[in-house]
Amino acid sequence: MKSNTTIRAKISALGSGFPDNIVTNKDLEKFVDTSDQWISERTGIRERRRLLDGENNSDIGAKAALAALESAGKTAADIDLIIGCTNTPDRWMPSMAAMVQAKIGATEKCAAYDIVTACAGWLAGMQIANAFIRSGQYENILVVGSEALTRFVNWKDRGTCVLFGDGAGAALVTRASANEKSEIIDMRVRSDGRYGDILDMPGAGSRMPTSQTVIDGGLQYIHMNGQEIFKHAVRNMTSICEEILEAHRLTINDIDWFIPHQANIRIIDAVGKKLGAPTEKVALNVHKYGNTSTATIPTCFDEYAETGKIKRGDLVLMTSFGGGLTWAGGLVRW
Ligand code: ACO
């Protein structure tokens, strides 16, 4: 979104929160009819994190939020708004963001709410944060992408359950001062609701409330047509990146880092190839965490920034895709 205001927004800091519990592909072999080789070759995933009993989405969301605050040298009292981006909240009500708010103690003046935009959720949250900062309404916004996906996979559906993991990533979005290079340049989201059925959680909503039939059919879990998702993901992630590059009169060669949604190495490779992104500029964490939906981009960004690969001033292009269908792209100067 372009704005006429002189206020600009930036990502001030990032933070991550993962459960400690690691589940490798070899571990999955013990209770899913699968193999390390099949998962590695088809997806690039080698291990993922899984919440233990008693740990919840909002716990890792709060961990990521606190890490971002600490990195920025701010406290919870500074926060005006928490945007929770999740598909797997602790409860349908209250929001995950409200639970994170309570856990980090951001109760001074803060609003908190969730948005549901599947795997494109964190970029959609960033689009809202960017607009709110530019409008002047808020000064400090936490955008928290946090997921407990292993609680929503059917361990009997081997085509789906091996793909997902639990994790959380957060960004603190603030005003950029006049002479600062860091800036959120563009955030765009697109949707096509006609294809909602190819990736969904069909039951346990108001259309099909929880019942024995829902439970027996595993309808409360994630259902997916993997091959259809693959095609739409490659096409739409590529097109939204091209649109952003063109809008800013840039080419992929101007981009320092490309952070695609970490769903699957074959989707990442296909999008990178179509865009002409050199592999050494493509940020990856899918091998370590699997698909953590709204958390893939912020956690990957955080890791690459923390380890000094992404440097302040670098131009970073991001894109994501998920159920809805929904896809998003973002361009920031870190
Ligand atoms: N282990 C072993 N074998 C398996 C597994 C498994 N975990 N899962 C499926 N198979 C078998 C199938 O039963 C099938 O066997 P058959 O030939 O005897 O019938 C065979 O492997 C091939 O199955 P396909 O579904 O055709 O496999 P495909 O090559 O399409 O790969 C995959 C499946 C990895 C899911 C692929 O379609 C994909 O990556 N899709 C994208 C989905 C995705 O990333 N979704 C995440 C959410 S959306 C997003 O974040 C972008």
Side-chain angles (χ1 to χ4, degrees):
M1 188 193 85
K2 288 214 166 154
S3 164
N4 293 326
T5 69
T6 51
I7 304 173
R8 296 176 305 134
K10 66 168 183 175
I11 300 177
S12 176
L14 294 156
S16 300
F18 284 104
D20 293 332
N21 179 38
I22 297 172
V23 179
T24 64
N25 292 345
K26 282 272 172 210
D27 293 330
L28 284 186
E29 284 179 3
K30 293 174 198 150
F31 63 101
V32 178
D33 179 16
T34 190
S35 68
D36 177 30
Q37 190 186 356
W38 192 96
I39 301 170
S40 301
E41 284 177 6
R42 304 272 175 142
T43 71
I45 299 165
R46 300 201 168 267
E47 58 188 48
R48 74 284 295 138
R49 301 296 173 99
R50 187 178 181 187
L51 290 160
L52 294 173
D53 288 350
E55 294 177 318
N56 288 303
N57 183 343
S58 60
D59 296 322
I60 51 176
K63 197 169 161 186
L66 287 172
L69 285 176
E70 191 185 339
S71 174
K74 298 228 176 190
T75 70
D78 296 316
I79 300 305
D80 304 305
L81 171 65
I82 300 171
I83 303 173
C85 317
T86 189
N87 307 286
T88 54
D90 297 18
R91 293 170 273 177
W92 292 123
M93 188 173 65
S95 66
M96 185 271 283
M99 280 181 260
V100 168
Q101 178 191 32
K103 283 179 181 168
I104 69 172
T107 46
E108 297 276 313
K109 54 171 181 177
C110 184
Y113 51 75
D114 286 356
I115 58 163
V116 182
T117 327
C119 298
W122 185 77
L123 287 176
M126 291 295 287
Q127 183 190 41
I128 296 168
N130 185 34
F132 267 137
I133 297 286
R134 285 175 182 263
S135 77
Q137 186 163 359
Y138 294 124
E139 290 186 23
N140 294 289
I141 302 176
L142 277 169
V143 184
V144 184
S146 188
E147 301 290 357
L149 285 150
T150 64
R151 301 257 162 90
F152 289 87
V153 294
N154 185 348
W155 295 105
K156 293 179 184 145
D157 175 7
R158 65 179 182 169
T160 305
C161 68
V162 300
L163 305 176
F164 295 99
D166 302 329
L172 177 66
V173 181
T174 64
R175 288 183 181 187
S177 52
N179 53 1
E180 213 167 0
K181 275 176 108 182
S182 294
E183 182 184 8
I184 297 174
I185 299 166
D186 203 339
M187 288 286 158
R188 296 178 186 217
V189 183
R190 295 272 192 289
S191 305
D192 189 341
R194 290 174 299 174
Y195 299 101
D197 289 345
I198 65 175
L199 175 57
D200 71 343
M201 296 184 201
S206 58
R207 182 183 66 158
M208 221 188 284
T210 306
S211 66
Q212 199 56 50
T213 311
V214 167
I215 293 166
D216 291 345
L219 301 175
Q220 72 275 35
Y221 297 127
I222 298 168
H223 286 238
M224 180 186 72
N225 179 334
Q227 288 174 1
E228 279 301 307
I229 286 291
F230 198 107
K231 283 188 284 186
H232 286 280
V234 172
R235 183 165 58 239
N236 292 315
M237 287 163 77
T238 305
S239 70
I240 204 155
C241 287
E242 287 171 344
E243 185 184 309
I244 289 175
L245 290 172
E246 197 182 320
H248 297 276
R249 295 193 171 80
L250 296 168
T251 73
I252 194 71
N253 298 326
D254 298 309
I255 301 300
D256 296 300
W257 283 97
F258 178 46
I259 313 181
H261 175 43
Q262 308 284 306
N264 177 317
I265 196 67
R266 293 190 303 155
I267 294 178
I268 293 170
D269 285 347
V271 174
K273 205 169 159 196
K274 277 178 175 282
L275 288 172
T279 47
E280 64 275 13
K281 287 185 174 182
V282 181
L284 296 174
N285 72 3
V286 68
H287 52 295
K288 289 193 284 189
Y289 302 114
N291 182 348
T292 57
S293 186
T294 60
T296 69
I297 293 180
T299 56
C300 197
F301 200 154
D302 182 35
E303 179 183 325
Y304 274 64
E306 190 65 26
T307 53
K309 291 177 186 154
I310 298 180
K311 298 182 175 48
R312 281 286 174 191
D314 279 355
L315 205 50
V316 181
L317 179 68
M318 301 169 276
T319 184
S320 193
F321 177 89
L325 299 174
T326 313
W327 57 102
L331 181 68
V332 301
R333 194 171 288 285
W334 169 241

